[in-house]
Amino acid sequence: MSANFLERLEYRADIGVHLDETRRYILIRPEAIMGLFRRLEPGPRAAALEAFGASIFEQGSDSARAYQEMGGGGEALVRTVEASAPQLGWGIWEMVPGEGRLDLTVRNSPFAVGFGPSDGPVCHAILGMFRAVAGMVLGGEIRAAEVECAATGAPFCRFEAIRIDEAPG
Ligand SMILES: [Zn+2]
C-alpha cells in the first residue's frame, strides 16, 4: 500500500466516486464550504465551526489510524500527514514535534482563503485533523488550538498541541 495519497486515490468514473481505499473524497471549492459559515451570525457560526472541527477530528482519526498502519506512528505519522495534506489541497504543512508538544504551521490554508478576512481563526477543519494526529503522536489528553490564522492577517496559520500533563495550570 502506497504511503502517497494521490497514488492511492482511485477515480471510479463508472459510479462518480473518488476513493482512498474505503474512504470517499470529493472536490469542493473552499469558498463554497466556507460560505456556509460566512452566512451565519457570529453565535451560530462559532458553533458550526466547532462542529466542523469535531467532525473532521472524527474522520481524521480514522485516516490517521490508516496512515499509522501504512507508514508507522510517531515521527513517521507526522511525515505522512505532512506529505498528504498538500495533496488534499490543504496547503503546505510543517510539523515540529517537541517534548510533550506538537507545533504546526500551515501556508495557504484553503479555509482561511475560502472564508476571507475574519476577526478570529477559521481553520477548525485543520485543527480537527491536527488534534487527531497530535493525540496519537503525544498520547493521552491534549489541548490544541489555532493560535494565529491567515484569515486574521497573520502571514500563515499556526497551531499548537500540548499534552495536558505538560501544560501549565
Ligand atoms: Zn487559519
Side-chain angles (χ1 to χ4, degrees), residues 49-71:
L49 282 167
E50 283 296 319
F52 189 30
S55 176
I56 297 275
F57 171 78
E58 193 177 304
Q59 299 304 314
S61 299
D62 183 48
S63 293
R65 269 192 300 274
Y67 294 164
Q68 182 163 259
E69 281 166 23
M70 277 182 272

Side-chain angles (χ1 to χ4, degrees), residues 64 67 76-86 93 95 129-130 133:
Y67 294 164
L77 175 61
V78 164
R79 298 306 156 221
T80 303
V81 172
E82 276 180 339
S84 303
W93 289 32
M95 274 189 275
M129 184 66 205
F130 177 56
V133 173

Side-chain angles (χ1 to χ4, degrees), residues 7-81:
E7 283 175 9
R8 284 196 314 273
L9 193 66
E10 180 193 4
Y11 171 47
R12 292 277 309 275
D14 56 327
I15 52 173
V17 168
H18 288 281
L19 279 178
D20 171 14
E21 298 189 286
T22 57
R23 298 177 292 279
R24 185 174 179 176
Y25 283 80
I26 60 168
L27 293 170
I28 188 162
R29 293 180 59 181
E31 293 81 0
I33 289 275
M34 299 310 287
L36 182 163
F37 302 105
R38 228 186 210 303
R39 279 168 165 74
L40 297 171
E41 295 296 322
R45 175 189 298 162
L49 282 167
E50 283 296 319
F52 189 30
S55 176
I56 297 275
F57 171 78
E58 193 177 304
Q59 299 304 314
S61 299
D62 183 48
S63 293
R65 269 192 300 274
Y67 294 164
Q68 182 163 259
E69 281 166 23
M70 277 182 272
E75 182 88 13
L77 175 61
V78 164
R79 298 306 156 221
T80 303
V81 172

